[in-house]
Amino acid sequence: MQQVPEITADGSHTLYVPELDEHYHSVNGAIQESMHVYIQAGLNHYTKKEITVLEFGFGTGLNALLTFLEAQKRNLTIRYITLEKYPLLQETVKQLNYAEQMGVTDIFASLHAASWNESYVISPFFMIKKIAVDFADYTFPDHYDVVYYDAFGPDKQPEVWKQEIFDKLFEKMNPEGVLTTYCAKGEVRRMLQRAGFEVERIPGPPGKREMLRGKVKAKA
């Protein structure tokens, strides 16, 4: 897929995919969207200090970078597993300005330099494993505490917003686990509920009224 860098309202980049007529991040601000949806509404709502994160859609690496910085700030230990069907070319990665905006060039480069399908230690508190896979084919071999569901929208890639994916995911999430997604569609909310999540609509990032957060309480 072709990816075209564009500047968003907060000065950070997103990528536009002409084939899907879709952006990787909100044009109202890529960094502030990721911070709101995945860090503030997701990672920061999980209380333990040792956390396994599962991300659907490594994409630009922005969520991973922000998670690393939050772990550093809050003294967390993160095991970060991220799934991606369409890894970016390095020439595209080099056009993104997140590292320069946040002053973390070496870390951002390390996240993208990490080999696919292998565990890679970025720091003593942050390990990443990037897996090149179609979401529908992933078998969920681990147990997870926090999930970032950051796939392209249901209207663009309906095959990755399926009941069976959410069912498998719920089975592999630890008690008190948290899932967040920018998507607020009613059918997605109902699929999460059918899987077993307690779902709430919460305020979305700038330019989006609502988003969804699912929580894992007790399991039978």
Side-chain angles (χ1 to χ4, degrees), residues 61-77:
L62 177 57
N63 294 336
L65 177 61
L66 292 173
T67 302
F68 175 93
L69 295 175
E70 192 67 17
Q72 187 176 54
K73 173 183 172 183
R74 294 177 49 210
N75 194 31
L76 305 175
T77 300

Side-chain angles (χ1 to χ4, degrees), residues 3 5 15 88-96 112:
Q3 298 107 350
L15 294 174
L88 297 182
L89 298 175
Q90 281 298 318
E91 61 192 57
T92 303
V93 173
K94 290 176 181 177
Q95 298 179 66
L96 301 172
H112 280 280

Side-chain angles (χ1 to χ4, degrees), residues 12 31 62 65-66 68-69 72 96-109:
S12 59
I31 289 177
L62 177 57
L65 177 61
L66 292 173
F68 175 93
L69 295 175
Q72 187 176 54
L96 301 172
N97 66 359
Y98 312 132
E100 290 76 11
Q101 286 211 339
M102 291 181 274
V104 286
T105 303
D106 290 348
I107 297 303
F108 189 63

Side-chain angles (χ1 to χ4, degrees), residues 23-54:
H23 290 86
Y24 275 64
H25 305 284
S26 170
V27 296
N28 294 292
I31 289 177
Q32 66 180 0
E33 177 195 38
S34 288
M35 278 296 300
H36 180 99
V37 176
Y38 301 109
I39 305 302
Q40 295 167 358
L43 184 67
N44 290 354
H45 274 257
Y46 189 76
T47 58
K48 296 181 181 178
K49 291 292 187 179
E50 295 186 3
I51 305 172
T52 297
V53 175
L54 176 64

